[in-house]
Amino acid sequence: MSPCHVILPIVLLLCTTTVTLAQSTPRDYVEVHNQARAEVGVGPISWNRTLQAYAQKYANERIPDCNLEHSMGPYGENIAEGYGEMKGSDAVKFWLTEKPDYDYSSNSCVHDECGHYTQIVWRDSVHLGCARAKCNNGWMFVICSYSPPGNIEGQKPY
């Protein structure tokens, strides 16, 4: 086997790995959150390593079953699962599709679920940590943790 046959697959593997990792960086999560927050006049959210560690620990616990179950921890939380190499920013964009289902005047969801969206734009949630884990079934589990938690009953997100 020639050296080119060995080196080329290694280079392709490294390129693929770099691209995959680059699609779910803290910056990717934060940018999508902050764009949505800016649209409604809410200040930016910032990355928090403690929340990231919490999210990663919980994502790792979901590897055997990939069940969409909340951690029931002390933070606000959005979770999602998707097939293949679902990017973290794709999960955030998916949660943001709930925006039309939130009615600000009545502070309620109309037609469908909107709690993921309201957590993203929750004014008092200023720290964020997210993580992903590839489950045994091949799906990707994504979690974002928020501090302080949002979705306080009777309060508007912004």
Side-chain angles (χ1 to χ4, degrees):
M1 182 178 283
S2 75
C4 288
H5 287 106
V6 174
I7 293 172
L8 184 58
I10 291 171
V11 169
L12 290 174
L13 176 64
L14 290 174
C15 290
T16 304
T17 302
T18 302
V19 169
T20 300
L21 293 175
Q23 294 170 343
S24 293
T25 66
R27 181 182 204 171
D28 295 324
Y29 288 105
V30 169
E31 284 180 354
V32 178
H33 275 80
N34 283 340
Q35 182 178 19
R37 293 167 70 87
E39 288 175 7
V40 294
V42 174
I45 201 163
S46 63
W47 193 255
N48 181 285
R49 289 183 183 182
T50 300
L51 292 173
Q52 177 187 17
Y54 177 86
Q56 190 63 66
K57 180 180 181 298
Y58 188 68
N60 292 345
E61 291 175 16
R62 297 275 51 98
I63 289 173
D65 57 28
C66 219
N67 287 343
L68 275 179
E69 297 173 0
H70 285 282
S71 69
M72 308 309 278
Y75 305 113
E77 183 172 278
N78 282 341
I79 56 175
E81 65 180 0
Y83 58 90
E85 296 298 321
M86 183 176 71
K87 299 181 287 188
S89 58
D90 289 339
V92 180
K93 289 172 185 173
F94 173 71
W95 298 323
L96 288 170
T97 64
E98 296 176 359
K99 181 177 182 176
D101 296 319
Y102 177 65
D103 178 58
Y104 184 82
S105 61
S106 67
N107 191 32
S108 63
C109 299
V110 292
H111 308 300
D112 207 358
E113 190 172 1
C114 69
H116 299 99
Y117 167 72
T118 55
Q119 175 59 81
I120 289 170
V121 297
W122 198 267
R123 178 185 319 277
D124 294 334
S125 294
V126 294
H127 302 291
L128 170 71
C130 304
R132 300 182 317 153
K134 186 82 159 191
C135 299
N136 291 342
N137 65 3
W139 287 60
M140 187 69 70
F141 183 90
V142 180
I143 174 175
C144 286
S145 299
Y146 303 84
S147 180
N151 289 338
I152 309 298
E153 194 168 335
Q155 295 182 20
K156 289 186 175 184
Y158 52 89

